[in-house]
Amino acid sequence: MALLPQLLHSPTLRSRSHTLFKPQPCPLSSSSSSSNKLSHYSIQNKPRNPSLLRCSSFAPDSVGGGGGGAEELVELPLFPLPLVLFPGAILPLQIFEFRYRIMMHTLLQSDLRFGVVFSDGGAAVAEVGCVGEVVKHERLVDDRFFLICKGQERFRVARVLRTKPYLVASVAWLEDRPPPDPADADDLEALAAEVETYMRDVIRISNRLNGKPEKEGVMDLRRNLFPTPFSFFVGSTFEGAPREQQALLELEDTATRLKRERDTLHNTLNYLTAASAVKDAFPSSPSSS
């Protein structure tokens, strides 16, 4: 469900901090090569310029440093897309580019999971992404695939292993930090409830501006979700603002994510309220012949 893509492009909602990297295969001891919507995100042939890519400096089997313990890394095929996938979100895809058909043949013989990373069409892709698990697929006679994927864990790219025939990297799982004080859980619940209220108001006024009938009763947008998965759901509705979505995905604190979403929705609501007042003051009149 997209809330207001036209508003989320406004300068007040620009992404503040998200990381892009340019993948390049790092040297290996052996050969380094390896044998949103359906209509919007069909994968086409877009060759990358290998001269723009660079190596990551992370170790291949662990990530971490200083006095902390190393985190085990997992090898994951990556799928750059012009969108941001959130945990719990559903993503339909059509795949017909040759290298990603190769990837699908491999996935269908393994665990059906790959990493979705945001790319704005250039050589760089986001460092933080989300695992997409294939929950339904259809293979056509011409070897194209129709997929229904569901967002699972988030991850951070530690090291690119290879780029051909498709991007593969070592990744570390990314989770939100738990509240330092158990009492903060109540604050998270209150914050999530506040965000839900703003969402209801935004949807209500948006529907009114678009001439849609107002639904009776209270919309249950929370659907019994805990604050963290609810914050991912809210972020997934900000379609049309992928850089803002990427910034939300990268945050490792649920309260910070919910506060940022609350501010976005608050700005959206102010805009819609003003637009509604203008519409009421200057109703459209039938065009004169």
Side-chain angles (χ1 to χ4, degrees):
M1 173 181 59
L3 290 182
L4 283 166
Q6 70 276 20
L7 180 61
L8 294 177
H9 279 106
S10 67
T12 58
L13 302 178
R14 288 174 184 161
S15 173
R16 276 164 261 181
S17 62
H18 59 275
T19 307
L20 296 179
F21 74 98
K22 297 177 180 178
Q24 177 172 335
C26 293
L28 300 177
S29 56
S30 59
S31 173
S32 61
S33 62
S34 171
S35 298
N36 295 303
K37 303 304 177 189
L38 201 59
S39 58
H40 294 167
Y41 304 117
S42 297
I43 309 308
Q44 304 177 28
N45 290 298
K46 295 181 180 178
R48 299 183 181 276
N49 185 348
S51 65
L52 298 177
L53 309 179
R54 59 181 173 82
C55 289
S56 168
S57 59
F58 282 92
D61 54 357
S62 64
V63 62
E71 299 178 16
E72 183 179 354
L73 299 184
V74 177
E75 185 173 315
L76 190 69
L78 300 184
F79 203 159
L81 288 171
L83 56 82
V84 178
L85 178 64
F86 283 86
I90 299 299
L91 174 64
L93 288 173
Q94 177 186 177
I95 296 180
F96 52 83
E97 186 179 349
F98 179 68
R99 58 177 168 169
Y100 293 115
R101 298 206 314 261
I102 294 176
M103 184 180 77
M104 278 307 305
H105 284 288
T106 302
L107 293 178
L108 291 176
Q109 299 175 18
S110 56
D111 62 355
L112 298 176
R113 290 156 60 90
F114 59 94
V116 175
V117 285
F118 170 66
S119 173
D120 59 5
V125 297
E127 185 177 307
V128 172
C130 179
V131 170
E133 182 177 13
V134 179
V135 295
K136 186 177 181 180
H137 72 276
E138 180 182 359
R139 180 182 174 186
L140 304 182
V141 292
D142 58 359
D143 208 32
R144 285 181 299 137
F145 288 90
F146 289 99
L147 310 178
I148 300 295
C149 307
K150 184 174 182 179
Q152 301 292 347
E153 305 94 332
R154 290 177 300 157
F155 61 84
R156 185 183 301 278
V157 174
R159 181 181 181 183
V160 174
L161 300 178
R162 55 186 180 271
T163 60
K164 295 181 179 180
Y166 49 84
L167 193 61
V168 178
S170 289
V171 305
W173 302 127
L174 191 65
E175 295 183 358
D176 278 8
R177 295 184 294 269
D181 187 345
D184 292 340
D186 292 336
D187 295 336
L188 278 180
E189 286 292 336
L191 189 54
E194 186 178 6
V195 170
E196 183 182 20
T197 298
Y198 274 122
M199 284 188 73
R200 288 198 194 102
D201 291 341
V202 166
I203 294 171
R204 176 176 53 82
I205 299 181
S206 177
N207 286 342
R208 181 186 174 197
L209 285 170
N210 292 321
K212 296 180 180 179
E214 191 166 335
K215 296 181 179 179
E216 296 182 0
V218 178
M219 289 179 286
D220 182 15
L221 301 174
R222 184 82 180 270
R223 300 173 299 173
N224 296 320
L225 291 173
F226 288 109
T228 298
F230 178 63
S231 71
F232 292 139
F233 164 71
V234 176
S236 71
T237 68
F238 291 175
E239 296 178 13
R243 291 185 177 274
E244 174 66 12
Q245 288 183 308
Q246 180 65 32
L248 292 170
L249 186 74
E250 293 186 7
L251 291 174
E252 299 180 53
D253 181 75
T254 302
T256 303
R257 187 180 304 108
L258 285 170
K259 288 176 182 176
R260 183 161 176 163
E261 292 166 343
R262 177 195 61 191
D263 293 345
T264 296
L265 290 167
H266 177 72
N267 292 337
T268 302
L269 185 60
N270 287 342
Y271 176 91
L272 286 176
T273 301
S276 180
V278 169
K279 183 177 180 180
D280 290 342
F282 303 98
S284 58
S285 57
S287 57
S288 57
S289 56

